[in-house]
Amino acid sequence: MTVDQARVNRIFLPGTYAEGVPYELFRELRAEAPLWWVEEPPVGEWPAGPGYWAVLRHADVKHVLRSPEDFSSHLGATQIRDPDTPADLAFARTMMLNQDPPGHSRLRRAVAAAFTPRTLRELAAAIENRAAELVTALRPRGEADVVPVAADLPVWTLARILGVPEQDRQLLVDWSNRVIGYQDPDHAESRTADPSALTEAGRAALALRPTVRTAPDGRPLNPRSRAALADMFAYAHALAEQPPPGSIVARMCEAGLRTSEFETMFFLFAVAGNETLRNGLPGGLHSLLTHPGQYRRLSRQPRLIAPATEELLRFWPPVLQFRRTATRDTVLAGRPVRAGAKVVVYHASANRDGSVFPDPDRLDLARTPNDHVSFGFGPHFCVGARLARIQMSALIRRIVTELPGLRLASDAPPKRLVSNFQNGLKELRVRWE
C-alpha cells in the first residue's frame, strides 16, 4: 500500500483538525511505516516550510522524547513552524519548554517547588470547592455551552498560583486565544478582557497589545514572538514588582531568572498551563457523551474517576504533537534522519497505537495499564501533570454526578478549534434534566 503525499500532508494542515483528529489516517500510516515525511505547504498568510519527519508509533514517540542528545528541544524550539528570525529563535530558546538538560533542569527546579504534595493537597481542596460552585451555578439552567465553564477552572487555578488578581483573570484567556488559537479566525482576533474591569496594571498591559498583524519586514507577526506578546510581558513585570507571597511569580523572582527566562516562564504558565485543560476538559466530556455506556458507568461508579481521567486524556489528548530537531545524522525507526531535520512526535497517534492499547479506539474508563503520552515523556514530562489531573477529575466528576440526564444538544453540533497543535473545542452545548 502506498499513501499519496497529499494525503500524508493532511496531518499537517490545521483545517484537517477542524473536522476531527484523523485517527483513521494515523492508523493507516502506522500500519505501513513508522516514520513519514510530511511537507509544509503554505497555510493562509503563513509561508511554506521545509517539511518534517512525523513519528507516529508509541515506542518511537517515547524514544524521541527521552533522547534530547539526538532530538533537541533547543535547536529549533518545539513548534512545527520555525521562528521567523534568528532573534525570535533566540528568544524562544530561553523558555523551559525549548531547552535541553542541563539548562532545562535548572529552570524546572525553579518552579517545581510550586507543585509539592502539600501545596497540591491545599490546591485540591480549593479546586473541589470551585468545581462545586461552577456546577451548582449551572444546575438550574438545563442547558449550557460547557467550554466557558471548563475554561474557568484552569484559568481560576492559574490565577491563584501565579498571583493574578481576580479582575485580571480574563487576560489569561485573551493571551491563550491569541497564542494557541492563531490558526483559527474566531480566536486570532478575539479580545475577552473588558478594560473597565481590569486593575491598573491590567489596563496598562492591554494598551500595549499589538494592533497590527505584520512584522516590520512585512511578514505576518508570529504570535509567539516577543513583539506579539509585549502586553503579556509588561503585565508579568508589573506583577513581579510586588509578587504575591508564595506565588509562582514570587518563586521565579527568588530564583534569579534572567529577564527573558522570567518572561518565557510566565508565558509557559499563563498559556500552556491554561490551554491544556481548557481543551482536555470539554474534550473529555465530549468523549463521555458520545459513549453513553461509559458515561452511565461513571455516573454510577464515581470512584472510577482516577482511571477514567487517564483514559479520557488518552482518548482526547489536549496536545496533538510536539517538535524536536535532530542534533546529528542518526537513524530513527530504521530510517536515516539528517542533522537539522525537524522531527515531530504525534501524541494523538501514539495514544491509539494498537500494539500498546488493546482495542485502541474503544473508550474504556477502567483501562489499565494506560501508558498514554498526553503529558509527554522523558525530561519534558509536564511539570503540572498532577495539578491537571486534580482539576480534570474534580470538574468531570461533579458534572457527571450532579447534572442528571446529561447529553449533547442535538441541534447544536460541537465546534472544533482550527489548529494542528491543540485538540480543542470552541463550543460544546449540552442539556440535562
Side-chain angles (χ1 to χ4, degrees):
M1 177 175 62
T2 302
V3 182
D4 179 78
Q5 184 64 50
R7 184 163 163 77
V8 177
N9 292 348
R10 286 189 61 232
I11 71 173
F12 163 72
L13 297 172
T16 296
Y17 300 89
E19 304 300 322
V21 179
Y23 286 116
E24 182 178 347
L25 177 56
F26 282 139
R27 182 169 58 250
E28 181 182 349
L29 296 177
R30 283 196 310 270
E32 184 166 341
L35 204 64
W36 287 86
W37 181 255
V38 182
E39 297 172 348
E40 294 179 69
V43 177
E45 61 188 356
W46 306 103
Y52 60 90
W53 289 107
V55 187
L56 304 181
R57 294 182 183 173
H58 186 274
D60 298 321
V61 165
K62 292 184 75 171
H63 171 69
V64 169
L65 293 177
R66 68 169 170 251
S67 307
E69 65 280 3
D70 291 323
F71 305 103
S72 170
S73 299
H74 186 66
L75 282 180
T78 51
Q79 299 296 305
I80 291 180
R81 182 184 171 201
D82 291 317
D84 291 335
T85 67
D88 285 344
L89 175 58
F91 181 69
R93 283 173 165 173
T94 65
M95 186 183 297
M96 181 175 69
L97 190 68
N98 298 328
Q99 293 208 11
D100 301 321
H104 166 264
S105 307
R106 175 181 65 85
L107 292 174
R108 191 178 178 102
R109 285 194 298 271
V111 296
F115 300 100
T116 63
R118 177 181 176 181
T119 301
L120 289 177
R121 283 195 300 271
E122 294 171 353
L123 275 173
I127 288 167
E128 285 286 350
N129 290 337
R130 182 63 179 178
E133 291 172 1
L134 290 170
V135 176
T136 298
L138 271 184
R139 195 180 298 144
R141 294 166 55 182
E143 178 180 353
D145 173 12
V146 294
V147 171
V149 180
D152 181 282
L153 187 60
V155 168
W156 179 88
T157 304
L158 276 170
R160 183 183 176 99
I161 64 177
L162 283 169
V164 172
E166 181 178 354
Q167 305 98 294
D168 294 340
R169 285 206 324 247
Q170 284 303 308
L171 287 171
L172 298 171
V173 179
D174 183 37
W175 295 328
S176 291
N177 284 352
R178 287 158 47 195
V179 173
I180 298 298
Y182 75 94
Q183 296 168 330
D184 191 309
D186 289 341
H187 280 353
E189 298 296 334
S190 67
R191 177 176 295 186
T192 61
D194 175 7
S196 65
L198 300 176
T199 64
E200 182 178 348
R203 290 193 297 273
L206 196 64
L208 296 176
R209 176 180 175 172
T211 57
V212 297
R213 297 188 62 196
T214 55
D217 60 5
R219 288 181 297 181
L221 186 65
N222 190 319
R224 295 180 176 86
S225 65
R226 197 179 191 289
L229 297 170
D231 53 332
M232 178 193 293
F233 297 142
Y235 186 85
H237 285 296
L239 199 60
E241 291 179 3
Q242 289 185 310
S247 67
I248 285 179
V249 170
R251 294 181 189 279
M252 289 192 287
C253 293
E254 293 163 4
L257 301 182
R258 294 190 292 270
T259 297
S260 59
E261 291 175 338
F262 170 77
E263 290 176 345
T264 55
M265 189 72 81
F266 187 89
F267 167 99
L268 191 59
F269 278 96
V271 174
N274 167 10
E275 199 66 24
T276 301
L277 263 293
R278 184 179 169 185
N279 293 327
L281 281 165
L285 193 58
H286 179 272
S287 300
L288 279 174
L289 296 181
T290 52
H291 295 78
Q294 293 296 303
Y295 160 69
R296 289 191 296 271
R297 184 183 190 185
L298 184 59
S299 63
R300 291 193 303 263
Q301 302 175 36
R303 66 180 181 278
L304 278 178
I305 191 62
T309 297
E310 300 306 313
E311 177 67 347
L312 294 172
L313 286 164
R314 180 193 74 86
F315 204 79
W316 188 291
V319 177
L320 295 162
Q321 46 76 12
F322 260 114
R323 173 237 179 124
R324 299 292 189 264
T325 304
T327 63
R328 54 194 174 195
D329 290 352
T330 188
V331 175
L332 175 60
R335 298 286 300 271
V337 174
R338 299 297 299 273
K342 299 185 199 180
V343 177
V344 177
V345 295
Y346 277 85
H347 306 280
S349 176
N351 280 357
R352 299 289 183 102
D353 188 334
S355 68
V356 177
F357 305 100
D359 198 1
D361 296 319
R362 179 172 65 91
L363 184 70
D364 178 5
L365 299 187
R367 185 184 294 271
T368 184
N370 196 333
D371 191 21
H372 67 77
V373 290
S374 293
F375 288 126
F377 187 71
H380 280 279
F381 183 81
C382 178
V383 69
R386 290 178 63 191
L387 181 59
R389 287 175 169 124
I390 289 169
Q391 294 176 80
M392 191 162 179
S393 297
L395 189 60
I396 286 185
R397 183 179 61 249
R398 289 280 180 178
I399 288 175
V400 168
T401 57
E402 298 186 25
L403 302 181
L406 191 67
R407 61 199 181 276
L408 295 176
S410 58
D411 57 345
K415 295 180 181 177
R416 295 187 62 96
L417 180 71
V418 180
S419 173
N420 63 4
F421 178 54
Q422 289 278 333
N423 187 17
L425 288 167
K426 296 184 290 185
E427 183 177 270
L428 181 67
R429 299 204 69 83
V430 298
R431 295 191 175 103
W432 57 93
E433 302 304 329

